[in-house]
Amino acid sequence: MGCCGAPAYWSGRKELYEEVKAAFIAQWQDAGKPRIITACPTCQQMFSDMLPEAEIISLWEVYCEHGLKDIVSHQNETLALHDACTARYNQALQKAVRQVADTCGAEIEDLTYSGELTKCCGFGGLVPFANPTVAEKMTDLRIQESDREYLVYCVMCQERFRAAGKKTRHLLDLLYPDLPPLEATTFSKRQQNRKKLKEKLLKERWHRADQTPGTEAERMQLLISEEMQWVIDRRLILLDDIRKVIQGAEASNQKILHPKNGHCTAKLQIGPITYWVEYEKEKDAFRVHKAYSHRLELNKDIKENEHRKYSI
């Protein structure tokens, strides 16, 4: 339920990475130094670097060792395989992925740049956080290499390609064709999924109920268009933070009313970031029209715009 440390490592936060590394090594040692199985190529690379003495294997290699005899071949189409950039030098992983796909009956077509020459989907190194425009160009260049549907074995590669409109399937979709296919998610949805997974494991694995009560803000229903959702995702704004802005504005009545369209604008500082949201109430829900954030702290000792008159 933790992290391999890649986000901290990629962003140059060395102290945070060392904390993550130390915590993981301690947990691994307490567990008796077991074999580590990873479904993510980046996790495998990170753990291999921090624990060279550990036995680390990909989930796909485990399937090849123990699970493929019961897999029924059901695919009858050709898919273009995209190798994850963090699996560039992991030949055992690449071989296992192709073996799994072959067992499922898929005909694999390697892209021009594959194996050691594979290209990044645009997520590696946290490029979308540093320069979204460059990340989008990287993604577009990659998906233009083939007109075929792509097959990937990294969830973030899947996220990048599907968000750009490329039809993409995850290797797990081939292994479990009767289950709903893995869907592309949003910045907020990924966080919500992690919370749901935690609650599920607490209940079913450790027989403990999550004692954290849901907040009023979490229960707030938001109405957001696809276009606005794309903007919110690109600006890395969580829906929970939008809910907090609206909840605070509705409770305190600290909001600006736009007389022409009836929209309200409110702001709230959460940590080092201040958020602005333009919204309106629709029955029991709130429709979000705009959302913006900036890393700044407003000086609360200054009476903002006290010379202006607003309709509240």
Side-chain angles (χ1 to χ4, degrees):
M1 297 302 292
C3 178
C4 69
Y9 183 81
W10 286 344
S11 60
R13 299 184 63 181
K14 295 182 179 179
E15 291 184 4
L16 179 58
Y17 170 70
E18 290 300 328
E19 290 177 14
V20 173
K21 177 180 176 180
F24 180 80
I25 292 176
Q27 292 173 11
W28 176 69
Q29 291 173 337
D30 289 343
K33 299 182 179 180
R35 179 167 73 161
I36 298 171
I37 301 173
T38 66
C40 169
T42 298
C43 290
Q44 186 172 8
Q45 181 193 55
M46 296 298 296
F47 291 146
S48 296
D49 289 342
M50 71 171 66
L51 276 170
E53 69 273 26
E55 181 187 359
I56 303 173
I57 189 171
S58 73
L59 176 64
W60 320 116
E61 292 171 84
V62 174
Y63 271 109
C64 292
E65 286 182 4
H66 307 290
L68 292 182
K69 63 181 183 298
D70 298 322
I71 299 297
V72 178
S73 177
H74 55 272
Q75 289 293 135
N76 293 299
E77 56 186 310
T78 302
L79 303 173
L81 179 63
H82 161 78
D83 285 310
C85 62
T86 47
R88 180 174 284 119
Y89 303 114
N90 192 333
Q91 294 182 355
L93 170 56
Q94 295 173 20
K95 180 180 178 181
V97 165
R98 286 159 173 79
Q99 185 176 339
V100 171
D102 180 68
T103 302
C104 292
E107 186 75 24
I108 294 302
E109 177 185 274
D110 282 329
L111 295 171
T112 304
Y113 296 94
S114 62
E116 290 189 5
L117 300 177
T118 191
K119 290 184 178 180
C120 178
C121 69
F123 184 81
L126 302 182
V127 178
F129 298 83
N131 194 323
T133 302
V134 170
E136 288 162 9
K137 289 181 179 178
M138 292 170 67
T139 303
D140 289 340
L141 284 172
R142 187 55 167 167
I143 64 178
Q144 289 171 12
E145 287 187 42
S146 175
D147 293 330
R148 295 192 185 278
E149 181 177 1
Y150 276 16
L151 177 65
V152 301
Y153 48 96
C154 168
V155 171
M156 292 316 302
C157 293
Q158 179 198 39
E159 296 284 316
R160 294 294 303 178
F161 295 155
R162 285 194 174 181
K166 182 67 173 179
K167 193 174 181 181
T168 306
R169 222 176 301 182
H170 193 280
L171 193 55
L172 287 172
D173 293 327
L174 300 191
L175 285 165
Y176 302 100
D178 296 331
L179 296 178
L182 295 175
E183 297 181 356
T185 59
T186 63
F187 187 51
S188 293
K189 185 67 174 178
R190 288 198 292 274
Q191 186 184 67
Q192 293 167 5
N193 285 343
R194 288 193 291 270
K195 182 178 180 181
K196 288 180 180 178
L197 175 61
K198 176 184 175 182
E199 293 171 349
K200 182 179 176 68
L201 288 176
L202 281 172
K203 181 180 179 180
E204 298 180 6
R205 176 71 177 178
W206 291 287
H207 308 292
R208 290 166 47 197
D210 187 1
Q211 301 298 319
T212 306
T215 65
E216 183 179 344
E218 289 176 336
R219 294 188 291 270
M220 181 187 297
Q221 182 182 357
L222 299 179
L223 304 174
I224 304 174
S225 67
E226 286 188 18
E227 181 181 4
M228 191 63 232
Q229 183 63 65
W230 182 87
V231 172
I232 290 171
D233 267 5
R234 199 173 190 273
R235 293 175 177 173
L236 305 176
I237 299 175
L238 292 170
L239 297 185
D240 281 348
D241 290 333
I242 290 178
R243 290 187 176 96
K244 291 174 184 177
V245 175
I246 296 175
Q247 182 192 36
E250 292 296 301
S252 66
N253 209 31
Q254 294 297 308
K255 53 188 178 182
I256 298 173
L257 175 67
H258 300 259
K260 291 185 178 180
N261 56 22
H263 298 176
C264 294
T265 296
K267 72 175 189 313
L268 179 68
Q269 182 179 328
I270 303 174
I273 300 176
T274 298
Y275 296 84
W276 288 265
V277 178
E278 182 179 323
Y279 67 95
E280 66 176 323
K281 190 169 185 179
E282 291 188 10
K283 296 182 179 180
D284 296 329
F286 294 90
R287 181 167 297 281
V288 177
H289 295 285
K290 295 179 182 179
Y292 175 75
S293 69
H294 197 80
R295 186 176 291 271
L296 60 82
E297 182 173 350
L298 298 173
N299 191 330
K300 297 179 176 59
D301 294 332
I302 298 176
K303 293 183 179 180
E304 300 174 72
N305 301 313
E306 64 175 357
H307 62 288
R308 299 182 183 274
K309 293 183 179 180
Y310 294 123
S311 297
I312 302 298

